[in-house]
Amino acid sequence: MLRHARMAASKQNIDKWPDYLSISFSGVDATNHFFGPSSLENEEMVRCLDETLADFFEFMDREVGRANVLYVLSADHGMPEAPEEMAEAGLSTFRDSTEALMIDVNSVIADEFGVESAIQFFFRPYVYLDNAAIEALGADRRVIERRIVENLMAAPGIELAMPTEPFPEQRGHTLEEQIRRNYHPTRSGDIYVVQTPYSFLFEEGPIAVMHGSPWRYDTHVPIIFAGPGIKPTRVSRPVSTVDVAVTLSTIFGISQPSSAAGETLSEIDVTDP
């Protein structure tokens, strides 16, 4: 990676036009999934990442010059501890396969409504219904949705099950806005499932932990801006990773991405980028 960067960057070709280089260090993600954040494997991965970043910063200082580089470091998500890790800390946790849960719920729906396999599959965080089979039997889809929701929320490890159209009693739920922001009309499923904190519901396999919940350990990530003209400070107000692209556009005086949804971070005041 650094050899390729060396070909593209040097003090001799610096001009007034900003260049953008995006680098993803995905080893931490994979290691966390298989072993968990508190594992020795992840500790070693973070140590290696620290060395890699040190080498990269040294290269950029030498080849481009510290005064010519604005760094932004962040992450796309957090990661929960393994349920077993948190159970040792005295918290209530749960681990089970989604397959077993779906078999149990489908059995209930089949007995009550005669719809076999009303749930086609559960691909986190959504339950996908067999709407064609429900319609073919003339069953009331909304009634079946409610029974599925009731059964899911009675199961261990589930905090909330919310259909695309929430039931009246679910309107205004503290998680409703987050769930709505996750929804995509052509890809999302029919019922959004929220696990209880540090619970694990996933297909059987080698994965130890999985992100994607609305809890803070999954949604809180660092955003670090470092470079010339940036005053050292710590920002504790809520911000979002989608603010990064808008802020960079503002700093460099360029057009924002066409689908940009964030806001400029006023704390990043660079008078001469």
Side-chain angles (χ1 to χ4, degrees):
M1 177 189 66
L2 297 185
R3 287 197 297 271
H4 291 301
R6 185 185 302 273
M7 295 166 58
S10 70
K11 295 178 183 178
Q12 284 70 40
N13 63 18
I14 289 175
D15 53 36
K16 66 178 180 179
W17 308 111
D19 297 300
Y20 179 79
L21 174 63
S22 177
I23 302 176
S24 175
F25 299 99
S26 300
V28 175
D29 179 271
T31 304
N32 273 265
H33 278 305
F34 288 107
F35 301 102
S38 292
S39 64
L40 292 176
E41 290 83 357
N42 189 52
E43 182 179 321
E44 174 63 11
M45 178 58 70
V46 172
R47 186 193 66 78
C48 292
L49 175 59
D50 188 64
E51 290 184 351
T52 299
L53 287 173
D55 290 343
F56 179 70
F57 295 148
E58 188 276 330
F59 162 76
M60 294 298 288
D61 287 351
R62 183 179 67 252
E63 298 295 329
V64 181
R66 186 173 301 182
N68 302 309
V69 182
L70 171 64
Y71 294 105
V72 183
L73 285 82
S74 188
D76 58 339
H77 56 75
M79 183 72 73
E81 294 286 356
E84 294 77 11
E85 185 83 23
M86 301 314 294
E88 289 185 4
L91 297 182
S92 176
T93 65
F94 185 77
R95 179 188 290 274
D96 198 5
S97 71
T98 53
E99 292 94 336
L101 179 60
M102 294 306 100
I103 288 171
D104 289 344
V105 176
N106 268 335
S107 176
V108 171
I109 301 303
D111 289 344
E112 293 186 11
F113 300 95
V115 181
E116 298 293 336
S117 300
I119 297 176
Q120 287 186 307
F121 55 91
F122 178 13
F123 185 79
R124 63 177 185 86
Y126 283 105
V127 165
Y128 291 77
L129 302 181
D130 189 342
N131 291 300
I134 294 172
E135 184 178 347
L137 286 174
D140 187 324
R141 179 177 181 275
R142 195 63 170 159
V143 173
I144 290 179
E145 274 190 339
R146 180 173 286 280
R147 287 296 290 131
I148 291 173
V149 164
E150 290 172 351
N151 277 271
L152 288 173
M153 293 185 62
I158 294 183
E159 177 76 18
L160 175 67
M162 181 178 287
T164 299
E165 181 188 346
F167 292 115
E169 67 273 15
Q170 293 179 324
R171 293 289 186 184
H173 193 284
T174 54
L175 296 177
E176 183 182 2
E177 183 180 351
Q178 288 173 267
I179 292 172
R180 285 192 177 280
R181 286 203 299 267
N182 182 272
Y183 179 75
H184 189 283
T186 62
R187 295 200 295 265
S188 296
D190 300 285
I191 300 173
Y192 189 103
V193 178
V194 180
Q195 299 163 195
T196 54
Y198 298 108
S199 291
F200 182 90
L201 288 168
F202 202 66
E203 57 262 27
E204 293 183 358
I207 300 297
V209 293
M210 179 57 69
H211 52 80
S213 79
W215 309 124
R216 283 298 182 94
Y217 54 71
D218 273 351
T219 62
H220 181 77
V221 298
I223 303 177
I224 301 171
F225 285 78
I230 296 181
K231 211 179 293 184
T233 186
R234 182 185 295 270
V235 177
S236 57
R237 70 179 179 87
V239 299
S240 176
T241 52
V242 297
D243 296 335
V244 171
V246 178
T247 301
L248 290 176
S249 299
T250 301
I251 290 173
F252 292 113
I254 59 178
S255 298
Q256 297 180 7
S258 58
S259 59
E263 300 178 356
T264 298
L265 298 174
S266 58
E267 295 86 352
I268 313 302
D269 181 18
V270 181
T271 55
D272 186 22

